[in-house]
Amino acid sequence: MKTSQIKTFLSVVRNGSVAAAARELNRSRTTVSTVLASLEDELGVELFERSGNQLHLTSIGQSILTDCRRFDQVAGQIQARCQHHLSGAESVLRIARDDAIPEDVWRDILRRLKQRFPQTSLSIYLAPPRELPSLVRNQSVDVAYGLMPELMNEGYQWFRELADVRMLTVAAPEHPLSQLKRVTQDDLISHTEITIAYMQDSVLVADSPETANYLAFTQYELIRDAVMDGAGWADLPLPLIAEALRKEQLKTIHHRSARWWKVFSALESEQAQGGAVVGWLADELEAYLETMA
């Protein structure tokens, strides 16, 4: 039994005649009749009752209709998976990332990724930037994206810098630091800093706080919200806070180092290097970040 025979059978069922099925399949009526007859011969049953130019399913034809539809669906899935493999696309991809890029941007990129690579299964893990390299190194994930520390290409990981991301030192508009015409380092130290926290040797630590008076969270988004609530000041990536700045929910303070840059990077495991999906995803992230430069 061939998939072409099942497709022909289903087309005749949908259209009710050989002529209509031939038009749908872009085949001659003779070809469609021959394929249908060969299927009936192979199965040893008549699938249709003929009434002039119209065909009606026999009882056995009706009873195998659902199975034939499943057969056609499975055949299509097999063909799609084989084409997916031949294209060089990964079948399964495990991704770790930070939240320097807004969630709605990630959702849009992943939606388009699944449209382009429908057979690729994805698992995505959100982690602080400093935890990303170890996740790749320990083979917990295949690739990581974020504002992770600068790394050298070593061992079986490949480090790729995608774009420079502007970091801004911000506070809520009503925060005391936002009211100052010039903010000194002493001013910063005298107010609560909100910074990134991460796991180091199974201990939760804060990432290089400027002061002993700090709050630390594992996500930039949580830091942003705390700053907007007036809990303190923070260094945050522009892509994440651009909307809040536009709405005047955040304000860049007047400090000499309030505008600086970090590198948004991809770290790929040996297995992920050269993959079609990994390459496409890196290009999309790079293109988005270029719009935020």
Side-chain angles (χ1 to χ4, degrees):
M1 191 185 317
K2 299 179 180 178
T3 56
S4 60
Q5 293 174 316
I6 299 300
K7 287 184 179 297
T8 300
F9 167 69
L10 292 174
S11 180
V12 172
V13 171
R14 282 194 301 272
N15 292 282
S17 71
V18 169
R23 288 192 295 271
E24 179 182 80
L25 298 170
N26 197 26
R27 300 289 183 86
S28 69
R29 294 174 60 180
T30 300
T31 299
V32 172
S33 295
T34 300
V35 171
L36 196 58
S38 68
L39 178 60
E40 290 180 320
D41 289 342
E42 185 174 340
L43 296 176
V45 297
E46 289 189 358
L47 299 174
F48 294 96
E49 295 175 347
R50 278 94 176 152
S51 176
N53 291 329
Q54 295 297 310
L55 299 179
H56 303 283
L57 283 170
T58 61
S59 58
I60 184 61
Q62 184 66 51
S63 70
I64 69 169
L65 179 58
T66 299
D67 291 330
C68 287
R69 286 171 175 159
R70 289 174 180 160
F71 182 102
D72 184 54
Q73 182 180 18
V74 171
Q77 290 174 344
I78 292 172
Q79 290 174 339
R81 290 187 187 280
C82 290
Q83 289 300 315
H84 185 79
H85 172 75
L86 292 172
S87 73
E90 302 88 327
S91 296
V92 177
L93 190 62
R94 301 167 302 164
I95 297 171
R97 65 172 180 87
D98 67 15
D99 62 337
I101 292 177
E103 291 300 315
D104 59 338
V105 175
W106 268 108
R107 288 196 301 270
D108 178 65
I109 290 175
L110 293 174
R111 175 186 59 80
R112 290 187 286 109
L113 186 155
K114 287 297 293 180
Q115 290 175 341
R116 186 177 179 89
F117 304 101
Q119 300 298 323
T120 296
S121 296
L122 299 170
S123 299
I124 300 163
Y125 183 72
L126 189 62
R130 286 190 178 274
E131 292 184 22
L132 297 175
S134 63
L135 291 170
V136 178
R137 185 168 53 250
N138 297 335
Q139 300 182 13
S140 300
V141 300
D142 303 302
V143 59
Y145 301 99
L147 298 173
M148 65 189 86
E150 184 176 354
L151 302 172
M152 298 294 292
N153 293 337
E154 60 179 52
Y156 299 106
Q157 293 102 41
W158 183 52
F159 188 73
R160 173 179 173 183
E161 295 184 352
L162 299 182
D164 291 327
V165 171
R166 184 177 289 278
M167 301 291 292
L168 300 174
T169 306
V170 295
E174 63 277 6
H175 190 278
L177 290 177
S178 297
Q179 312 304 316
L180 298 177
K181 292 183 177 180
R182 180 175 178 272
V183 176
T184 66
Q185 195 65 20
D186 287 341
D187 293 326
L188 290 180
I189 293 173
S190 65
H191 292 86
T192 301
E193 178 184 4
I194 309 177
T195 188
I196 279 281
Y198 64 98
M199 296 299 294
Q200 183 178 61
D201 299 326
S202 300
V203 177
L204 187 64
V205 298
D207 188 7
S208 305
E210 297 278 349
T211 171
N213 177 21
Y214 62 82
L215 289 172
F217 298 97
T218 57
Q219 296 177 30
Y220 284 123
E221 192 172 85
L222 297 177
I223 296 173
R224 178 201 62 193
D225 293 347
V227 174
M228 288 168 58
D229 288 340
W233 61 272
D235 295 320
L236 287 169
L238 176 59
L240 185 66
I241 62 173
E243 183 70 8
L245 289 170
R246 186 184 66 81
K247 294 180 177 179
E248 299 184 347
Q249 297 169 315
L250 290 174
K251 183 177 178 180
T252 305
I253 65 174
H254 298 291
H255 184 265
R256 64 179 180 274
S257 301
R259 293 171 175 82
W260 50 290
W261 299 88
K262 292 189 75 170
V263 179
F264 190 95
S265 306
L267 183 62
E268 301 172 5
S269 67
E270 181 184 28
Q271 294 82 2
Q273 289 178 30
V277 180
V278 166
W280 182 91
L281 184 52
D283 290 343
E284 289 296 312
L285 291 169
E286 185 174 10
Y288 164 73
L289 290 170
E290 285 178 356
T291 68
M292 301 299 297

